[in-house]
Amino acid sequence: MQAALTAFFMLFFSLLSLLGIAANGFIVLVLGREWLQYGRLLPLDMILISLGVSRFCLQLVGTVYNFYYSAHKVEYSGGLSRQFFHLHWHFLNLATFWFCSWLSVLFCVKTANITHPTFLWLKWRFPGWVPWLLLGSVLISFIITLLLFWVNYPVYQEFLIRKFSGNMTYEWNTRIEMYYLPSLKLVIWSIPCSVFLVSIMLLINSLRRHTWRMQHNGHSLQDPSTQAHTRALKSLISFLILYVLSFLSLIIDATKFISMQNDFYWPWQTAVYLGVSVHPFILIFSNLKLRSVFWKLLLLARGFWVA
C-alpha cells in the first residue's frame, strides 16, 4: 500500500512538474518573441519573463534533483553532487522570491488607490526602476548563494575526509548544516517575503475597500466592474497563499525534517513546487496578452487534432 502511494505521488509530482515547465516556458516564449519583435518590454512583462525563466529552470533542477536523489540514495545523500544541485537550487529559489516580490510591488503601485505622497512618488518612479531591480536581484541572489556555498563547503569537505580516511570528527560541521544554515536561510528569504507581504496586503486592502464602496453605491455583484475587482481579489489571494506556502515549505525543507527515506517525501515535494507550477496559469489567465495567445494555441491544436 505504501509503495502504491509513493508511486502515485511520484507520478503526480511528475505531471505537476511538466505542467509547470510548459506554463513557464509558454510565458517566456510569448514575451521573448515580443521582445525580439519590438526590441523592448513593458515593466510588467520584464518581471513576468524573468519570473518565467527562473521558475522554468527551478522546476527542471528540482525534477532532476528529486529523481536523481531517488535513484542514488546511498552515494548522493551526502556527496558533492548534492552540493552542486543545491548551488543552483538556492540561487533560483532566491531569485524567484525576489521576482515575485517585485511583481507584487508593481501590481500595488499600479492598482492600489492610496493617496499618501510617498506612495504617489513610488507609483511614478518604480516602473523605471524595474530593469535595475531585476538585475540587482540576480546579483544579490548569486552573491548570497556563493556565500552559502562557502559556509556549507566544510560539511562536504568533511564528508570526503570521512569517506576516504575514516575520520569521524564531523560534529561541528553537522551542527552548522542542521542548525545555523536553516536560520541563515530564514533571514535571507524573509527579506523578499516581507516586501511581498507588505505590498500584497496593501493592494488587497485597497481592492477590498474599493469593491465594498462600489457595492454600497448601488453596483450589483453582476456589474462588470465589480466582477473584475472580485476576480482581481481572488487572483491576489491565490498568489498570496501560494507564495506563503512556498516560503513555509522552503523553511521546513531547509531543516531537513523530511528526508528521502520519509514516507511523506513525495507529497512534501509536491507541496514545495506547487506554487511554481500553479501560479504561472494564474498569470496566464489574468493577463490579456498571454490569455489570448493561449486560447489561439488551443484552437490551433484542436483544429489540428480534428483534421
Side-chain angles (χ1 to χ4, degrees):
M1 184 65 180
Q2 187 60 47
L5 284 175
T6 301
F8 168 78
F9 279 107
M10 286 180 69
L11 179 61
F12 186 71
F13 173 82
S14 301
L15 293 175
L16 193 68
S17 297
L18 289 175
L19 287 173
I21 290 169
N24 287 301
F26 171 80
I27 293 173
V28 173
L29 287 175
V30 172
L31 297 179
R33 178 176 174 272
E34 181 177 325
W35 191 8
L36 291 174
Q37 186 174 357
Y38 298 106
R40 62 185 181 85
L41 287 174
L42 296 173
L44 174 61
D45 295 338
M46 290 181 190
I47 298 177
L48 289 179
I49 195 171
S50 301
L51 187 58
V53 170
S54 65
R55 282 176 165 173
F56 180 87
C57 296
L58 178 61
Q59 196 84 64
L60 281 177
V61 169
T63 304
V64 173
Y65 171 86
N66 278 296
F67 283 104
Y68 183 84
Y69 191 7
S70 178
H72 303 81
K73 292 180 185 177
V74 177
E75 61 268 33
Y76 184 60
S77 59
L80 288 175
S81 54
R82 180 184 172 194
Q83 181 79 335
F84 174 77
F85 276 119
H86 275 199
L87 187 68
H88 295 82
W89 191 78
H90 286 306
F91 167 73
L92 292 168
N93 258 311
L94 189 55
T96 299
F97 264 63
W98 275 114
F99 296 154
C100 286
S101 298
W102 301 136
L103 181 62
S104 69
V105 173
L106 184 64
F107 283 159
C108 183
V109 299
K110 287 182 63 177
T111 310
N113 187 20
I114 301 174
T115 57
H116 193 278
T118 303
F119 183 84
L120 294 176
W121 175 82
L122 188 63
K123 188 184 187 76
W124 174 59
R125 299 289 295 182
F126 185 80
W129 294 346
V130 167
W132 301 107
L133 289 172
L134 294 175
L135 180 61
S137 299
V138 172
L139 290 176
I140 290 172
S141 301
F142 180 72
I143 292 170
I144 290 176
T145 302
L146 288 182
L147 289 175
L148 285 174
F149 176 82
W150 177 74
V151 171
N152 208 22
Y153 181 72
V155 177
Y156 295 93
Q157 193 175 37
E158 187 67 42
F159 165 80
L160 291 178
I161 293 173
R162 286 190 292 116
K163 186 171 182 178
F164 295 111
S165 68
N167 190 341
M168 299 299 292
T169 60
Y170 62 97
E171 192 173 320
W172 169 248
N173 288 331
T174 302
R175 190 178 302 147
I176 291 176
E177 187 176 30
M178 294 298 295
Y179 300 106
Y180 299 132
L181 282 178
S183 302
L184 180 60
K185 291 173 184 177
L186 174 61
V187 173
I188 292 169
W189 287 329
S190 294
I191 298 173
C193 185
S194 300
V195 174
F196 173 86
L197 289 175
V198 170
S199 57
I200 206 76
M201 293 308 296
L202 283 173
L203 180 54
I204 288 175
N205 186 55
S206 176
L207 285 174
R208 184 187 58 81
R209 285 190 286 107
H210 186 66
T211 303
W212 182 85
R213 283 198 300 266
M214 290 177 65
Q215 291 176 359
H216 281 73
N217 287 335
H219 293 272
S220 69
L221 293 176
Q222 303 303 320
D223 184 80
S225 181
T226 305
Q227 288 184 339
H229 281 81
T230 304
R231 285 196 301 269
L233 271 173
K234 291 179 180 177
S235 176
L236 289 171
I237 291 171
S238 301
F239 190 15
L240 174 62
I241 292 172
L242 290 171
Y243 189 95
V244 171
L245 176 63
S246 297
F247 177 76
L248 293 177
S249 62
L250 284 177
I251 296 302
I252 297 174
D253 190 69
T255 63
K256 307 189 188 309
F257 181 72
I258 300 178
S259 65
M260 189 69 195
Q261 290 74 28
N262 194 294
D263 294 337
F264 294 99
Y265 180 80
W266 285 104
W268 178 247
Q269 288 303 301
T270 302
V272 169
Y273 291 95
L274 187 65
V276 178
S277 301
V278 174
H279 188 243
F281 288 98
I282 298 176
L283 291 176
I284 290 171
F285 289 112
S286 61
N287 185 285
L288 180 61
K289 184 191 310 178
L290 295 173
R291 186 171 67 243
S292 61
V293 175
F294 181 80
W295 288 123
K296 286 178 183 177
L297 287 177
L298 280 185
L299 290 173
L300 284 174
R302 181 183 177 185
F304 173 79
W305 286 110
V306 170

